[in-house]
């Protein structure tokens, strides 16, 4: 016995609500000429509601369907093409008022995150361009207006400068790296560790679980920041298998602890940094990387920001054991200069992500390294950046600081 089934396209089926109409489109599975299944018109299921033809129903659903198909092609594109196609929409998504592009999220489109969007900005290229612009000599008549605008914007105190005459500085670079009067920054002799620069205290305290806080509540890995520990012969130790083993490579004396202090240099601050204590520099490690802004707001936004940015890590020893000073680069601050290290070149056009360059100051002729006195000139930035101190000290070491306070070079950080 043969059973006959009613046709699905029977026009005599009772009316249905338009919201229950479904549109199905099949895509061709492969390229090639001719019509494939995906080139056929969409098949409509469900009966036609009264007064509406099948073509009219398809026309009602077509805009959303076309947008889905268009945006769905992004997943098949290469990564660079995907960025070019989706980022213009992402920029408009964040800039346009009243959520003008939010309906796009209903058809499957998702904007690139703000962090990923910011990381894509060519900050290294912009910093090199800014560095070259800083070297351009300004006409004599233009120097006072330009420098006065900068002084007014960032609150620079020119009364502390060794040369107060603005016409003396031929370009912006000389103005950024201006020297101070000798009496402007007296060095505190009562405390064992002083501030290496002017700036703002972002965070300080004892290092716990091999993690350091860049700002309150946002941490980064100590090993990722400093890199693997090296010996005096400049040979890497075996990789640390746990947090405790890496910490044991840094803490050389029983009963000591690791401490850290993060100082942010604003654009209007004094841009040179000095030795924070009496110590010996034995090793330099240069991490090429990004040059994202390191202001406190950005540090709260991007996790492990200091590990992504270009930085120069100086390590050595002081009277209580391990001591390190790290100069972290930032946007428009690709130039990090260490006065006694002429082989250091930062913000190179090309670099390998995650790589680093080591240089040892311990040689056969100099088996100790570079001795530094407290307050001695150590290096300089262009514009502003961050200094991170990580050092070993006894358990009774106390900081004389408050989070968020302004500090100047020569003032006390802490002592025993």
């Amino acid at each position: 016995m043969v059973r006959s089934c009613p046709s699905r396209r029977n026009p005599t089926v009772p009316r249905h609500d338009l919201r229950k109409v479904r549109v199905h489109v099949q895509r061709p599975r492969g390229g090639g000429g001719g019509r494939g299944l995906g080139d056929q018109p969409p098949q409509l299921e469900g009966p036609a509601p009264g007064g509406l033809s099948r073509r009219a129903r398809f026309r009602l659903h077509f805009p959303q369907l076309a947008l889905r198909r268009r945006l769905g092609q992004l997943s098949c594109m290469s990564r660079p093409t995907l960025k070019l196609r989706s980022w213009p929409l992402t920029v408009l998504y964040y800039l346009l008022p009243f959520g003008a592009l939010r309906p796009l999220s209903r058809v499957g489109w998702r904007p690139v995150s703000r962090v990923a969007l910011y990381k894509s900005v060519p900050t290294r290229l912009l910093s090199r361009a800014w560095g070259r612009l800083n070297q351009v000599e300004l006409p004599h008549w233009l120097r006072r207006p330009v420098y006065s605008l900068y002084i007014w914007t960032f609150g620079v105190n020119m009364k502390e400068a060794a040369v107060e005459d603005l016409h003396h500085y031929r370009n912006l670079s000389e103005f950024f790296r201006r020297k101070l009067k000798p009496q402007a920054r007296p060095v505190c002799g009562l405390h064992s560790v002083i501030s290496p620069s002017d700036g703002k205290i972002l965070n300080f305290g004892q290092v716990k679980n091999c993690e350091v806080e860049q700002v309150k509540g946002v941490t980064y890995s100590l090993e990722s920041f400093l890199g693997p520990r090296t010996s005096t012969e400049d040979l890497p130790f075996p990789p640390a298998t746990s947090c405790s083993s890496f910490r044991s490579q840094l803490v050389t004396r029983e009963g000591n602890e690791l401490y850290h202090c993060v100082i942010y240099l604003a654009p209007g601050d004094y841009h040179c940094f000095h030795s924070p204590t009496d110590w010996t520099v034995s090793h330099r490690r240069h991490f090429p990387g990004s040059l994202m802004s390191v202001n406190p707001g950005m540090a709260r936004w991007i996790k492990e920001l200091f590990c992504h940015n270009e930085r120069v890590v100086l390590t050595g020893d002081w009277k209580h054991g391990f001591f390190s000073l790290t100069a972290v680069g930032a946007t428009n601050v690709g130039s990090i200069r260490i006065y006694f290290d002429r082989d250091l070149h930062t913000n190179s056009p090309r670099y390998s992500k995650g790589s680093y360059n080591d240089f040892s100051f311990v040689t056969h002729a100099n088996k100790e390294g570079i001795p530094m006195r407290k307050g001695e000139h150590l290096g300089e930035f262009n514009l502003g950046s961050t200094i991170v101190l990580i050092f070993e000290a006894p358990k009774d070491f106390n900081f004389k600081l408050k989070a968020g306070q302004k500090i100047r070079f020569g003032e006390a950080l802490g002592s025993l």
Side-chain angles (χ1 to χ4, degrees):
M1 181 176 65
V2 180
R3 300 178 60 183
S4 61
C5 298
S7 174
R8 303 180 68 180
R9 298 189 180 183
N10 188 358
T12 61
V13 179
R15 297 181 180 178
H16 286 261
D17 189 359
L18 181 61
R19 292 174 296 182
K20 296 183 179 180
V21 176
R22 294 179 294 177
V23 180
H24 294 278
V25 178
Q26 293 182 344
R27 291 185 182 178
R29 294 187 177 179
R35 266 185 177 266
L37 291 175
D39 295 324
Q40 298 177 1
Q43 302 296 326
L44 304 178
E45 292 186 3
L52 286 177
S53 64
R54 293 186 180 87
R55 179 173 295 181
R57 286 185 298 155
F58 177 69
R59 189 179 296 114
L60 289 174
H61 283 254
F62 179 75
Q64 182 175 352
L65 173 65
L67 192 56
R68 280 183 182 275
R69 294 183 63 186
R70 194 65 177 169
L71 295 174
Q73 294 175 2
L74 295 177
S75 60
C76 305
M77 296 180 180
S78 62
R79 189 176 184 86
T81 308
L82 176 62
K83 290 181 179 180
L84 290 176
R85 296 292 292 274
S86 62
W87 285 7
L89 279 178
T90 297
V91 174
L92 293 175
Y93 180 87
Y94 290 124
L95 293 182
L96 291 180
F98 310 118
L101 295 183
R102 286 185 182 177
L104 290 178
S105 61
R106 299 176 184 175
V107 295
W109 179 77
R110 293 292 181 270
V112 179
S113 68
R114 289 182 174 89
V115 174
L117 189 65
Y118 178 69
K119 287 182 178 179
S120 68
V121 177
T123 52
R124 295 180 63 86
L125 178 62
L126 294 176
S127 298
R128 285 195 297 273
W130 176 256
R132 294 190 177 184
L133 180 63
N134 289 345
Q135 300 295 332
V136 176
E137 184 172 348
L138 297 177
H140 192 272
W141 60 270
L142 189 59
R143 295 175 187 177
R144 178 174 291 276
V146 171
Y147 299 148
S148 297
L149 177 61
Y150 186 90
I151 292 170
W152 176 80
T153 303
F154 297 107
V156 180
N157 185 6
M158 286 302 295
K159 293 183 179 180
E160 299 176 341
V163 180
E164 298 183 30
D165 183 15
L166 298 180
H167 294 103
H168 171 79
Y169 304 100
R170 296 174 297 177
N171 51 48
L172 288 169
S173 181
E174 289 187 0
F175 179 73
F176 294 149
R177 296 180 287 106
R178 63 193 177 277
K179 303 299 181 183
L180 298 181
K181 297 175 181 177
Q183 66 274 16
R185 296 290 187 275
V187 176
C188 178
L190 300 178
H191 298 273
S192 55
V193 183
I194 62 171
S195 175
S197 64
D198 290 8
K200 179 182 179 181
I201 302 296
L202 294 187
N203 218 310
F204 64 92
Q206 187 174 325
V207 176
K208 298 180 180 179
N209 300 323
C210 285
E211 290 188 343
V212 182
E213 285 189 319
Q214 57 190 25
V215 292
K216 189 173 182 60
V218 182
T219 63
Y220 57 90
S221 168
L222 184 62
E223 186 172 4
S224 299
F225 182 70
L226 296 178
R229 184 81 167 105
T230 58
S231 64
T232 56
E233 291 80 19
D234 204 26
L235 296 175
F237 281 110
T241 58
S242 65
C243 169
S244 59
S245 60
F246 181 75
R247 180 185 177 280
S248 64
Q249 294 177 7
L250 300 180
V251 179
T252 59
R253 302 182 184 181
E254 186 176 356
N256 283 1
E257 297 290 343
L258 279 179
Y259 297 89
H260 77 282
C261 183
V262 182
I263 305 172
Y264 167 68
L265 285 73
D269 289 328
Y270 171 55
H271 292 78
C272 297
F273 52 93
H274 302 247
S275 174
T277 190
D278 297 332
W279 65 307
T280 301
V281 183
S282 58
H283 186 267
R284 180 260 292 163
R285 174 168 290 163
H286 172 218
F287 289 86
S290 303
L291 288 172
M292 294 179 283
S293 173
V294 293
N295 67 67
M298 196 64 64
R300 295 186 187 93
W301 195 27
I302 301 178
K303 186 179 180 181
E304 295 192 340
L305 172 62
F306 296 160
C307 297
H308 293 302
N309 271 17
E310 183 165 14
R311 59 196 182 278
V312 177
V313 182
L314 301 177
T315 57
D317 297 284
W318 72 315
K319 60 182 178 181
H320 297 295
F322 171 79
F323 197 96
S324 72
L325 182 147
T326 303
V328 183
T331 306
N332 298 332
V333 198
S335 175
I336 303 174
R337 182 183 175 191
I338 305 297
Y339 293 140
F340 57 78
D341 189 357
R342 296 183 179 180
D343 296 325
L344 176 65
H345 300 284
T346 58
N347 197 9
S348 301
R350 296 182 180 180
Y351 73 98
S352 299
K353 187 176 181 179
S355 64
Y356 56 84
N357 304 312
D358 284 328
F359 185 84
S360 177
F361 300 109
V362 178
T363 61
H364 293 289
N366 182 11
K367 296 185 178 181
E368 294 185 357
I370 308 296
M372 298 296 299
R373 304 295 298 175
K374 183 166 62 174
E376 186 176 353
H377 282 270
L378 184 56
E380 63 186 28
F381 292 111
N382 280 329
L383 199 59
S385 193
T386 299
I387 295 288
V388 180
L389 301 179
I390 299 175
F391 56 93
E392 174 186 359
K395 292 183 179 180
D396 56 349
F397 182 87
N398 294 316
F399 284 100
K400 311 295 183 181
L401 303 172
K402 293 182 180 179
Q405 79 172 66
K406 293 287 292 184
I407 197 168
R408 302 199 302 179
F409 156 63
E411 296 179 351
L413 287 183
S415 63
L416 299 173

